[in-house]
């Protein structure tokens, strides 16, 4: 996950706090403890429906659906314990952070938990949404799960551990000597432990994007790296003479006496790829494969149907039967290059020839429906838990609906920057959100809960009680602080009003508003159709009405908004400045 050429656009002039370890914070506040302190918005339900044509046909027997994790699940890393597979993805400044996923067959995945769940572990306050947690690596070794990752602008590289991947995970073990991003932890068969990562090269960059891969030995007892062990494994990439950019995401493996180093190269956009090196010893040079890259889509025609692009950043896992598989990120695009839903997780088999692994031959397209892995275990069926929603599907077309009947937020919901939930409450089959003054364009924690947009074509809707005067409430499609839509309801000059705000690279502006007849409740709906987005409302049980014309959905694409996340859809409430009947501020 490089953050070089996009940094200026990402930080957008914000003053970040610098790379210092997270401070120990107070214990988390229980949800709803201060809910009576200010007016609340009350939501009856939330509904999300995926409608992608690429997912519509039934799966042929013996195949599975790629991506296995649709929507914003980038930088996947995978490990195995027995017959169980566990995967983690980047989460940036969303909380809880570092989603942990579980599968028994490599293709049917369940969101199990999160590794970052409390403020003693991490502090994202004041960070732009595409900062925070970059690419993690997860490994299982002798009864312990290890997560190593980077928190950008707030402490750097660190390790978490757990004996149960469902948690709880430890507080961070900080690694102040290790600079750069995308750390990997590798347990050698002689008992030594190593950390590899992306970082600056000796003597300075020869060109923009010139980076290297470094290796340190790590002492797991002292929980420190050995400073004298630092060495450069790769300078620039596969062939320095071609000026390769953004060598990163290293993962080390040992197979049949060879050390293999899998990396990403080419940046996170359409030139992204996975490349492989090997060596007989960690003290000898790593030699690149002659047929690198072993995964990319950059050599394919841009106008191909249903394109999958940006493929790279891979990790390997071996099944108990000895087969090898890769997880990697890629994105499904519309109009050739645009995607709103972030980079997704795909799975493909790894073949071996002449001692080298290959994910996909150059010139071949990533298949949407490959043959299923040959595994001896059946998919795990999660037991129903009273009062909780069943696990949400993570790919294909599906309908996900939350009636807010659980006493806790469902695992699919995320907050921004902070773990504090004192401003929300689940009670009487409603989600109550205490309005805050924080706007969606601020660096604070807004009163906003969201889940991933996982399809190009979708509908998302909710029903809420008409909010009290002084606050607004409604639905949001959020890419980042400068690019989002807010479809809200408020009391304006003694009149109930539905309105639409748009942030298009600057402060949010109201695009449309419509006064409504007296009502107890309002339904809101956001409908996405690739690069178009439409907004609707309905009063009480009335018919849906469009609020204005179709809007520009490309504002929510990575290509326009920049950054590393995907669009999130959710519910929001904000304190409003009161106005008089003349429209003047009081």
């Amino acid at each position: 996950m490089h953050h070089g050429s996009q940094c200026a656009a990402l930080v957008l002039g914000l003053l970040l706090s610098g790379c210092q370890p997270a401070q120990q914070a107070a214990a988390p506040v229980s949800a709803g403890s201060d809910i009576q302190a200010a007016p609340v918005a009350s939501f009856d339900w939330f509904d999300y429906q995926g409608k992608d044509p690429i997912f519509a046909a039934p799966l042929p027997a013996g195949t599975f659906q790629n991506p296995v994790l649709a929507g914003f699940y980038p930088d996947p890393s995978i490990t195995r314990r027995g017959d169980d597979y566990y995967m983690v993805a980047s989460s940036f400044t969303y909380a809880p952070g570092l989603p942990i996923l579980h599968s028994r067959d490599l293709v049917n995945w369940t969101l199990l938990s999160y590794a970052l769940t409390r403020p003693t572990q991490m502090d994202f306050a004041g960070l732009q949404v595409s900062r925070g947690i970059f690419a993690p690596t997860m490994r299982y070794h002798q009864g312990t799960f290890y997560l190593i990752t980077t928190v950008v602008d707030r402490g750097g590289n660190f390790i978490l551990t757990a004996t149960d991947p469902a948690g709880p995970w430890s507080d961070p073990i900080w690694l102040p000597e290790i600079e750069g991003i995308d750390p990997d932890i590798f347990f050698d068969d002689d008992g030594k432990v190593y950390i590899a990562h992306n970082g600056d090269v000796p003597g300075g960059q020869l060109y923009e994007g010139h980076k290297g891969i470094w290796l340190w030995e790590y002492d797991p007892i002292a929980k420190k790296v050995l400073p004298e062990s630092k060495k450069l494994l790769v300078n620039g990439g596969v062939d320095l003479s071609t000026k390769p950019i953004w060598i990163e995401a290293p993962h080390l493996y040992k197979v049949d006496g060879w050390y293999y180093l899998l990396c990403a190269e080419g940046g996170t956009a359409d030139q992204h790829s996975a490349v492989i090196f090997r060596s007989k010893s960690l003290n000898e040079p790593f030699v690149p494969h002659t047929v690198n890259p072993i995964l990319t889509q950059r050599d394919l025609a841009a106008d191909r149907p249903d394109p999958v692009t940006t493929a790279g950043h891979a990790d390997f896992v071996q099944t108990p039967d000895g087969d090898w598989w890769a997880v990697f990120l890629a994105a499904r695009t519309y109009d050739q290059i645009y995607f709103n839903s972030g980079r997704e997780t795909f799975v493909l088999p790894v073949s071996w020839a002449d001692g080298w692994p290959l994910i996909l031959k150059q010139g071949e397209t990533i298949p949407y429906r490959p043959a299923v892995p040959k595994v001896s275990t059946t998919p795990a069926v999660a037991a129903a838990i009273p009062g909780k929603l069943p696990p949400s599907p993570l790919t294909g077309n599906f309908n996900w609906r939350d009636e807010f009947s659980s006493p806790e937020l469902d695992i699919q919901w995320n907050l921004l920057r902070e773990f504090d939930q004192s401003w929300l409450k689940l009670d009487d089959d409603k989600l109550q959100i205490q309005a805050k003054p924080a706007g969606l364009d601020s660096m604070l924690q807004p009163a906003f809960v969201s889940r991933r947009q996982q399809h190009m074509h979708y509908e998302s809707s909710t029903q809420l009680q008409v909010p009290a005067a002084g606050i607004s409430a409604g639905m949001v499609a959020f890419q980042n602080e400068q690019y989002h839509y807010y479809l809200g309801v408020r009391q304006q000059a003694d009149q109930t009003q539905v309105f639409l705000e748009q942030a298009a690279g600057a402060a949010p502006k109201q695009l449309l508003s419509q006064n409504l007849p007296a009502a107890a409740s309002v339904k809101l709906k956001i409908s996405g159709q690739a690069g178009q987005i439409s907004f609707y409302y309905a009063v009480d049980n009335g018919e849906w009405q469009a609020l204005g014309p179709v809007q520009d959905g490309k504002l929510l694409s990575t290509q326009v908004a920049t950054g590393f996340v995907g669009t999130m859809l959710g519910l929001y409430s904000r304190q409003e400045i009161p106005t008089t009947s003349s429209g003047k501020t009081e």
Side-chain angles (χ1 to χ4, degrees):
M1 170 72 60
H2 81 80
H3 65 142
S5 59
Q6 294 190 26
C7 264
L10 285 171
V11 298
L12 295 166
L14 298 172
L15 294 176
L16 300 173
S17 61
C19 295
Q20 298 297 324
Q23 299 297 312
Q24 297 296 304
V29 181
S30 60
S33 61
D34 296 326
I35 199 71
Q36 290 82 21
V40 299
S42 184
F43 296 89
D44 299 326
W45 47 261
F46 179 92
D47 190 88
Y48 175 86
Q49 297 182 42
K51 300 182 175 184
D52 279 351
I54 197 70
F55 293 151
L59 268 175
T63 68
F64 69 91
Q65 183 68 65
N66 258 334
V68 295
L69 306 181
F72 160 45
Y73 286 102
D75 311 321
S77 179
I78 189 169
T79 194
R80 177 175 66 87
R81 180 181 63 181
D83 292 328
D84 293 280
Y85 300 90
Y86 298 95
M87 191 154 55
V88 65
S90 297
S91 54
F92 302 92
T93 56
Y94 282 101
L98 289 170
I100 308 295
L101 302 108
H102 172 247
S103 176
R104 302 204 78 197
D105 63 359
L106 287 171
V107 297
N108 293 284
W109 291 88
T110 300
L111 181 55
L112 178 66
S113 64
Y114 296 87
L116 295 174
T117 58
R118 58 190 187 273
T120 57
Q121 292 174 301
M122 196 55 55
D123 174 18
F124 299 127
L127 297 185
Q128 198 266 358
V129 68
S130 276
R131 309 307 280 171
I133 297 294
F134 277 25
T137 298
M138 181 162 56
R139 296 291 182 256
Y140 174 71
H141 180 70
Q142 296 182 352
T144 299
F145 288 85
Y146 294 81
L147 261 172
I148 185 168
T149 187
T150 314
V151 56
V152 175
D153 305 320
R154 194 53 56 79
N157 292 285
F158 64 94
I159 295 172
L160 305 174
T161 61
T163 55
D164 182 348
W169 288 77
S170 71
D171 281 351
I173 300 165
W174 294 99
L175 304 167
E177 297 88 352
I178 296 181
E179 300 177 347
I181 58 171
D182 296 6
D184 173 75
I185 190 165
F186 168 65
F187 298 88
D188 207 344
D189 50 20
D190 62 1
K192 291 185 177 181
V193 185
Y194 296 91
I195 292 173
H197 64 96
N198 148 291
D200 291 335
V201 290
Q205 293 189 5
L206 300 177
Y207 51 88
E208 175 69 16
H210 178 204
K211 294 289 181 177
I213 301 297
W214 293 89
L215 184 72
W216 305 65
E217 188 176 345
Y218 176 71
D219 182 343
I221 304 301
K223 299 180 180 179
K224 294 180 181 296
V225 295
L226 306 180
E228 69 278 4
S229 66
K230 183 181 180 182
K231 65 184 69 174
L232 185 68
L233 297 186
V234 174
N235 184 350
V238 169
D239 182 355
L240 185 60
S241 69
T242 65
K243 298 184 177 180
I245 60 171
W246 304 117
I247 190 75
E248 57 194 12
H251 292 307
L252 271 169
Y253 317 90
K254 194 172 187 181
V255 183
D256 296 334
W258 286 92
Y259 293 93
Y260 290 88
L261 178 64
L262 177 66
C263 297
E265 189 180 282
T268 57
D270 58 1
Q271 297 300 299
H272 204 202
S273 70
V275 295
I276 193 80
F277 308 77
R278 76 176 186 179
S279 176
K280 271 293 187 179
S281 168
L282 294 178
N283 295 315
E284 297 175 5
F286 272 78
V287 177
H289 192 11
T290 57
V291 297
N292 274 318
I294 62 170
L295 169 70
T296 193
Q297 299 284 269
R298 66 190 180 204
D299 51 344
L300 302 179
D303 59 354
R304 64 192 184 277
D306 301 315
V308 177
T309 67
T310 75
H313 201 120
D315 195 10
F316 291 161
V317 70
Q318 189 177 25
T319 71
D321 297 329
D323 294 331
W324 288 84
W325 287 78
V327 298
F328 59 92
L329 72 79
R332 294 172 295 133
T333 60
Y334 62 89
D335 292 352
Q336 300 184 3
I337 64 169
Y338 295 94
F339 56 91
N340 295 20
S341 49
R343 295 160 304 149
E344 309 174 304
T345 292
F346 290 70
V347 169
L348 282 178
V350 177
S351 60
W352 289 79
D354 301 322
W356 289 98
L358 179 68
I359 302 172
L360 194 67
K361 292 180 180 178
Q362 292 184 49
E364 292 186 0
T365 58
I366 293 170
Y368 277 100
R369 293 179 169 185
V372 296
K374 296 176 182 178
V375 293
S376 56
T377 55
T378 56
V381 178
I385 301 175
K388 289 185 176 289
L389 291 175
S392 173
L394 295 174
T395 192
N397 288 334
F398 59 83
N399 182 200
W400 183 83
R401 187 176 178 91
D402 195 343
E403 299 277 359
F404 302 127
S405 57
S406 169
E408 298 176 350
L409 273 182
D410 184 74
I411 196 170
Q412 295 287 336
W413 292 109
N414 286 262
L415 316 177
L416 263 175
R417 297 185 188 89
E418 298 178 21
F419 300 94
D420 174 38
Q421 296 186 20
S422 62
W423 45 273
L424 62 85
K425 183 179 182 181
L426 287 146
D427 186 42
D428 195 26
D429 294 341
K430 296 183 186 300
L431 173 63
Q432 297 180 1
I433 296 179
Q434 178 182 295
K436 292 185 178 186
L440 294 163
D441 59 335
S442 79
M443 294 300 111
L444 303 174
Q445 184 195 50
F448 175 48
V449 297
S450 61
R451 58 149 292 143
R452 287 161 172 79
Q453 176 192 326
Q454 295 179 273
H455 302 80
M456 287 188 210
H457 307 269
Y458 69 89
E459 284 189 358
S460 186
S461 55
T462 191
Q463 178 173 289
L464 69 154
Q465 306 305 302
V466 172
I471 69 171
S472 66
M475 295 187 69
V476 171
F478 182 86
Q479 177 67 224
N480 62 36
E481 295 82 2
Q482 285 74 36
Y483 290 89
H484 56 261
Y485 284 96
Y486 174 30
L487 176 63
V489 178
R490 65 186 170 207
Q491 301 286 336
Q492 186 83 329
D494 303 321
Q495 181 80 47
T496 300
Q497 182 185 86
V498 60
F499 64 92
L500 179 65
E501 288 180 0
Q502 177 198 75
K509 296 181 180 179
Q510 181 172 301
L511 293 183
L512 301 159
S513 66
Q514 175 68 51
N515 289 336
L516 303 179
S521 65
V522 177
K523 289 189 291 187
L524 301 175
K525 179 169 67 175
I526 299 176
S527 176
Q529 303 289 330
Q532 298 182 327
I533 189 167
S534 303
F535 301 89
Y536 301 87
Y537 66 93
V539 177
D540 288 330
N541 294 317
E543 297 295 319
W544 288 110
Q545 306 289 327
L547 182 62
V550 174
Q551 301 295 330
D552 182 7
K554 287 183 178 177
L555 291 179
L556 304 178
S557 71
T558 297
Q559 288 63 37
V560 174
T562 74
F564 304 123
V565 299
T567 298
M568 302 287 278
L569 302 166
L571 306 174
Y572 171 60
S573 186
R574 182 183 68 201
Q575 294 178 17
E576 298 286 317
I577 300 172
T579 59
T580 64
S581 58
S582 65
K584 296 180 179 179
T585 301
E586 290 182 343

